[in-house]
Amino acid sequence: MTWDDLDAHLDRVPGTVSAYVGRLDAPPTWTRHADAGHYAASTMKVAVLAALHRAAEAGTLDLDAPVPVVNDFDSAQPGAPRFANAQPYDNDDAVWDRIGGTASLRWLADRMIVRSSNLATNLVLGHVGLPAVAEVWALAGARNSVTGRGIEDFAAREAGITNTVTAADLAALLGALATGADTPGPLASPAACTTMLDVLLAQEHREDLAAGLPAGTRIAHKNGWVRGVRHGAGVVLPDDAPPYLIAVCTTTDLAGDDDQVEDDACLLLAHISAQVWAARHQL
């Protein structure tokens, strides 16, 4: 299948499918609506992870110091009531089991990525702050992505404060981490970038991009989803080819019940990932 064939296939998907594919530190091989904005869902958690490690390297936060685990957060909308997360919409009971106790920021950041815990995300975000996340996007070279609020901050959402990403910006962020693991870069030291990539490699939600790769293929990635939205972005590390970036953002009107919509969206990302894998030597 050529890139034109893949575009033609995606043209038939109702909604917007964006993509960015290419080697590290090189112009992209294939893009599709790469600068189109999408609701970020959980992909914004990569920027939160980077902001945390930057703060740790600056000495303003200790990754291993215990912090209180609470479910009570400031809204990004000035004057709005504090908000809380709903456990049924989370993906990690382990964090909820610690409410009233403590956990390290390192452990919370791991759960934020590998299990995509919303509660862990808001806890980490409360310590690093939204300006630090904005700085990460800027340093990575992102042009259109914004992290304006925590997860389930509905007062901020109603006020128009949201979290937005593009495929190009997600690729820029993941690319900065991957190249930064080898040489000093704008985000963090090589050691910190390597640590963050290790966390992303441990991702347990593997039903979209990873599902399109051969078993055992390493991919440092983060995905995100709500109904009508499914994104995945990562660095694929083949044994027989150089690493490459893949970021796919979908905002679609797929038909069916919630489970069917989610399955179809995952299959779509897996299909794209498989086509890119087949072309890995020509990227």
Side-chain angles (χ1 to χ4, degrees):
M1 179 179 286
T2 67
W3 301 118
D4 287 342
D5 291 335
L6 186 53
D7 269 318
H9 172 75
L10 297 176
D11 284 342
R12 297 191 290 272
V13 176
T16 302
V17 180
S18 302
Y20 180 108
V21 170
R23 300 271 185 232
L24 303 177
D25 281 340
T29 302
W30 172 62
T31 63
R32 175 187 171 85
H33 308 314
D35 292 320
H38 297 259
Y39 175 63
S42 290
T43 57
M44 49 79 77
K45 296 172 182 177
V46 181
V48 178
L49 178 70
L52 174 64
H53 280 269
R54 284 176 55 77
E57 288 205 312
T60 57
L61 288 175
D62 181 348
L63 291 177
D64 296 309
V67 300
V69 178
V70 298
N71 186 20
D72 182 53
F73 306 104
D74 287 324
S75 174
Q77 171 62 12
R82 294 172 68 82
F83 72 97
N85 289 125
Q87 188 169 3
Y89 295 104
D90 209 333
N91 298 285
D92 190 5
D93 288 339
V95 182
W96 292 80
D97 290 343
R98 296 203 182 191
I99 288 179
T102 63
S104 71
L105 287 170
R106 187 188 303 276
W107 184 83
L108 290 168
D110 286 352
R111 307 309 293 183
M112 171 179 73
I113 298 297
V114 303
R115 291 302 306 162
S116 205
S117 169
N118 293 336
L119 180 58
T121 302
N122 284 341
L123 287 163
V124 174
L125 186 57
H127 285 274
V128 301
L130 290 166
V133 182
E135 185 176 12
V136 164
W137 284 118
L139 290 170
R143 295 179 295 173
N144 301 295
S145 296
V146 175
T147 302
R149 61 174 174 82
I151 298 174
E152 297 176 65
D153 182 354
F154 298 127
R157 184 186 69 182
E158 293 303 314
I161 302 171
T162 191
N163 299 325
T164 304
V165 293
T166 71
D169 289 348
L170 286 171
L173 178 56
L174 270 296
L177 291 179
T179 57
D182 294 323
T183 57
L187 288 184
S189 69
C193 287
T194 298
T195 296
M196 288 186 271
L197 285 176
D198 286 343
V199 175
L200 292 161
L201 282 164
Q203 171 64 249
E204 295 178 11
H205 293 285
R206 301 179 60 83
E207 59 271 18
D208 42 53
L209 292 182
L213 302 173
T217 302
R218 294 187 301 151
I219 175 172
H221 69 120
K222 183 72 191 80
N223 36 27
W225 60 94
V226 297
R227 182 178 174 86
V229 169
R230 187 87 197 193
H231 309 324
V235 183
V236 181
L237 303 163
D239 291 333
D240 62 349
Y244 64 86
L245 293 163
I246 178 170
V248 182
C249 298
T250 70
T251 302
T252 58
D253 296 319
L254 297 171
D257 61 25
D258 286 354
D259 289 341
Q260 185 61 53
V261 167
E262 184 171 339
D263 288 346
D264 288 347
C266 289
L267 288 171
L268 178 64
L269 265 67
H271 173 75
I272 296 170
S273 183
Q275 299 305 314
V276 175
W277 173 263
R280 66 193 180 280
H281 297 293
Q282 287 77 47
L283 296 179

